[in-house]
Amino acid sequence: MPMLTLCTDFDGPVADVSERYYRVYGFCLAKIQQNHPDSAITVLSKSEFWALKRAQVPEPEIGRQSGLNPAQAQAFSQCRRETVHTFPHFEWDGLWPGIREILTQLAHQNIERYVITMRRQRELNFALAQFGLTDLFPPAHRYCIGDDFVKTQDHLDKPVLMAQALTAIAPAHPVWMVGDTEADIIAAQTHGIPVVAVLSGIRDQATLATYQPDFIQPDLAAAVALILGMAK
Ligand SMILES: [Mg+2]
């Protein structure tokens, strides 16, 4: 039986957040349109929008590509920032198929699972309950942002969060990280942990490759299969 610990990010590997991001994009565009009825807005399709997000195109540029002028694009960007990580928009998130089965299988193999996420505690707990994952990530295995924590930037905050998790993890076994953004890769690299980047989230292959993760895989299932294979 492989002895290892799996740390995973939440949004991207576990949850599909593309619908929330796209709905918030539409919500903020509609708000700009309301304030500027004569603006010539072109709503991008979901696949066009998501491809831009995955290529890490900045929010004001997405606004410009939707027909906004520079000032409107700034207002759009601010609206998006204030809105995307708020309720009730989290209700648009979905669980990727097969995730519960993968995590249950790991639990049966006595492989410890930790979640390390930039979600706030109430946002993580909401999603765990929504997706029926509460038992698979016990409270002591949840590393998230406090409800009142003032965030800086993900790639700065996440390594700190990972340091906290690592003090709790028994160091006897290999620890692996799975994530979908540069923040996950940088956090793992900061602590010398191997990291598998997955394509089921908010970055595309070319963007992830620039941060040099140890591996890039399609999704959490493939990442877990690779990690278990390496542990044999
Ligand atoms: Mg993520």
Side-chain angles (χ1 to χ4, degrees):
M1 186 153 306
M3 299 301 285
L4 59 91
T5 299
L6 178 79
C7 297
T8 182
D9 175 37
F10 194 81
D11 291 338
V14 174
D16 174 11
V17 298
S18 60
E19 189 63 22
R20 165 162 50 103
Y21 277 70
Y22 187 60
R23 297 272 179 165
V24 169
Y25 161 77
F27 170 86
C28 292
L29 276 187
K31 204 171 146 186
I32 303 291
Q33 177 99 67
Q34 226 170 29
N35 296 334
H36 307 275
D38 50 351
S39 55
I41 288 176
T42 313
V43 181
L44 302 171
S45 71
K46 183 176 172 183
S47 61
E48 288 169 333
F49 165 79
W50 197 235
L52 294 176
K53 290 301 299 175
R54 296 187 81 226
Q56 225 175 356
V57 172
E59 222 51 54
E61 175 58 25
I62 294 177
R64 278 192 293 274
Q65 294 196 25
S66 308
L68 303 181
N69 68 30
Q72 292 166 352
Q74 283 306 326
F76 161 79
S77 175
Q78 190 183 340
C79 170
R80 180 265 166 202
R81 200 168 43 245
E82 291 167 355
T83 312
V84 72
H85 300 299
T86 60
F87 290 98
H89 302 282
F90 284 106
E91 289 170 18
W92 293 112
D93 291 340
L95 179 67
W96 284 117
I99 294 292
R100 209 175 291 120
E101 291 73 10
I102 294 163
L103 294 172
T104 303
Q105 184 197 342
L106 292 176
H108 288 155
Q109 291 178 279
N110 286 324
I111 294 172
E112 297 216 308
R113 301 143 327 274
Y114 286 76
V115 60
I116 304 178
T117 173
M118 297 303 297
R119 273 184 185 242
R120 294 187 184 279
Q121 192 160 15
R122 60 171 177 264
E123 299 161 358
L124 176 62
N125 289 346
F126 168 81
L128 290 175
Q130 181 190 21
F131 299 146
L133 299 176
T134 302
D135 294 344
L136 291 161
F137 291 112
H141 288 207
R142 300 173 197 166
Y143 286 82
C144 57
I145 298 296
D147 287 342
D148 302 317
F149 180 83
V150 179
K151 293 186 196 178
T152 63
Q153 291 180 61
D154 286 6
H155 73 278
L156 301 176
D157 291 337
K158 199 140 198 176
V160 177
L161 204 54
M162 183 174 275
Q164 293 168 8
L166 289 173
T167 61
I169 296 172
H173 310 309
V175 180
W176 284 77
M177 177 67 187
V178 177
D180 70 319
T181 69
E182 58 284 355
D184 303 299
I185 298 169
I186 290 167
Q189 289 169 343
T190 300
H191 298 291
I193 289 170
V195 55
V196 184
V198 291
L199 295 168
S200 55
I202 200 162
R203 297 288 180 261
D204 58 25
Q205 174 122 20
T207 307
L208 288 174
T210 63
Y211 296 96
Q212 300 184 300
D214 296 279
F215 301 95
I216 299 178
Q217 290 290 309
D219 53 23
L220 184 65
V224 165
L226 180 137
I227 292 166
L228 292 179
M230 306 271 298
K232 271 179 189 156

